[in-house]
Structures are given as structure tokens and as C-alpha cells.
Amino acid sequence: MVAGILGCGAIASIITNSAAKGELNADLKFFHDMDMERAENLASQVDGIAVEDVNDMVNNVDLVIEAASQDAVVKVVPQILKMGKDVIIMSMGALIDLDFRNYLGKIAEENNSRIYAPSGAVVGLDGIKAASIGEINEVSLVTRKSPESLGISVDTETVLYEGKAGDAVRKFPANINVAAALSIAYGKEVDVKIIADPNVSRNCHEVCVAGDFGKFRTITENETCATNPKTSLLAAYSVVKLIKSLNKNLNVGI
């Protein structure tokens, strides 16, 4: 399987590092970014190719890993799917829009392509998907991050947002993909609270779910990527694990 990366930031760097170690189970060959220097730097680690035109990548791969932005998902992913190629979407916030999600699903079905969404920076998606078969009464997310990772400056714990996931994603597009992932797994928008806390150094997510199955609560305290405090290491690791699973005959927890 030949793969390419769209967006050459912190997540792409970790994926490329895994490929360089021979751990990816895929031939990571093509790199595209608005900043060609970033694409060239990553490409050099795996004897890959940096391309200015996305089509030069899509024409030569089986799988595209989107690690750029919600805007890139909207503008580029439909084109990738129409060309019959599979795609991994990291910028899950773009999929909070049900109409757009259905639109991508229709394109994928018509062109025999697949859309994959890794678990990202949170745990418990498998439990929510299983619980959604029955009746769920509550799904809530409390995200706690350092002010730096949220792009603000405050000296005390501050609630920045409290409401539904859709608005949270629109107001914090680079920080709250977790809310989108939970909402998609649940099938409805989850309740979200976002807190800027100067006393934390990790990106923390607390998820509470209750329904006819019972209750569960998960707490994830993510170390951040050295090059981007908005990005959790676990999010990048989840992509690597997903790619490796595509070649396996036995998968657990899906």
C-alpha cells in the first residue's frame, strides 16, 4: 500500500518517523503542504517525494492521510474520494456537519473508496459505538488544556465554552476534534465544556456516558507534541495504529 500525507505538521512528523523505522506497514511516499520546505523535510526522511500539486500525490497512492485542517477536508477530500482512493481524516471537526458527512459517504460509495477516522486523542469511542445500539441518556466531554495550547493568556482556570459539540468545533477548530469524534460515534452532538487551566501541561479529556447499558467514565491526560502544544501524541499514534491495522486479518475493539 502506497500512502501520502496532506499536511506536514506535528502529526505527519510522527507518522513519518514510524515509517522511517519500518513500523508503518505502508510505503509512505508522497508529501504535500502549503509550506514546501516542511513537505521536503519529511520526504527526505523516507526517500519520499514532496509535491506542490495534490493531484500528483493522489494519482500515485492508495491512501491519503489528511493531517492539515478542516478546510482541507472540505476542499480536497471529495476530490480524493472521487479518484477512488481511500482517506484517513484527522481533522474530524469537518465531519460534525451531517450533510457534509453524508456527502462524503455518498462519494465514497460511488467510487469504491473508504473513509477512515482514527480514535485520535481520546479513549472510549468503541464503548460509545457499542452503547449506541441501545439507549444512551448522556454523553458529555470536559476538555482541559493549558492556555498556550488554546492560543490565549489567562492566569486562572477559565471556562471558555459550554454547549454542544457543533459550536465548540466551529469556535475552536484546531483544538476540539475530540468533540466531533465523540459526536459521530454517538450519532448526536455531545455536551462539551472547554476549560483553559494554567496549572495543567497535558491535554485532558474526561468523557462520561450513561445509558441502558450502565455507565462509564474515561479520563485521558495526553502529552503534547513538542512542535505543537495543540496536538496530542496519542492522536498521532492512533493514525499509525490504524494504518497498521489495515493489513491485519484480526482487529480488536472496532
Side-chain angles (χ1 to χ4, degrees), residues 11 15 65 88 90 118 235-244:
I11 288 177
I15 297 170
I65 305 159
I88 292 176
M90 285 301 301
Y237 291 165
S238 74
V239 188
V240 174
K241 189 63 177 179
L242 172 57
I243 295 170
K244 294 175 72 171

Side-chain angles (χ1 to χ4, degrees), residues 205-224:
H205 305 290
E206 180 178 348
V207 178
C208 295
V209 181
D212 61 1
F213 72 94
K215 296 181 179 179
F216 72 79
R217 174 172 169 263
T218 70
I219 296 176
T220 312
E221 297 182 0
N222 290 303
E223 295 291 352
T224 60

Side-chain angles (χ1 to χ4, degrees), residues 156-175:
T156 59
E157 180 180 309
T158 304
V159 176
L160 300 182
Y161 175 83
E162 193 163 6
K164 291 296 183 180
D167 284 338
V169 168
R170 284 183 282 273
K171 291 179 179 179
F172 302 89
N175 285 280

Side-chain angles (χ1 to χ4, degrees), residues 91-153:
S91 302
M92 289 283 286
L95 302 182
I96 196 76
D97 184 311
L98 179 59
D99 289 338
F100 180 65
R101 197 160 76 239
N102 289 339
Y103 170 64
L104 291 185
K106 182 178 180 181
I107 296 174
E109 183 177 2
E110 291 173 349
N111 293 277
N112 196 31
S113 49
R114 288 183 171 84
I115 304 166
Y116 299 100
S119 55
V122 71
V123 297
L125 291 184
D126 53 346
I128 293 174
K129 287 190 292 184
S132 67
I133 297 299
E135 191 172 307
I136 296 180
N137 305 318
E138 174 197 356
V139 181
S140 64
L141 165 69
V142 177
T143 288
R144 185 182 298 270
K145 294 187 175 186
S146 69
E148 178 191 10
S149 71
L150 289 163
I152 64 170
S153 178

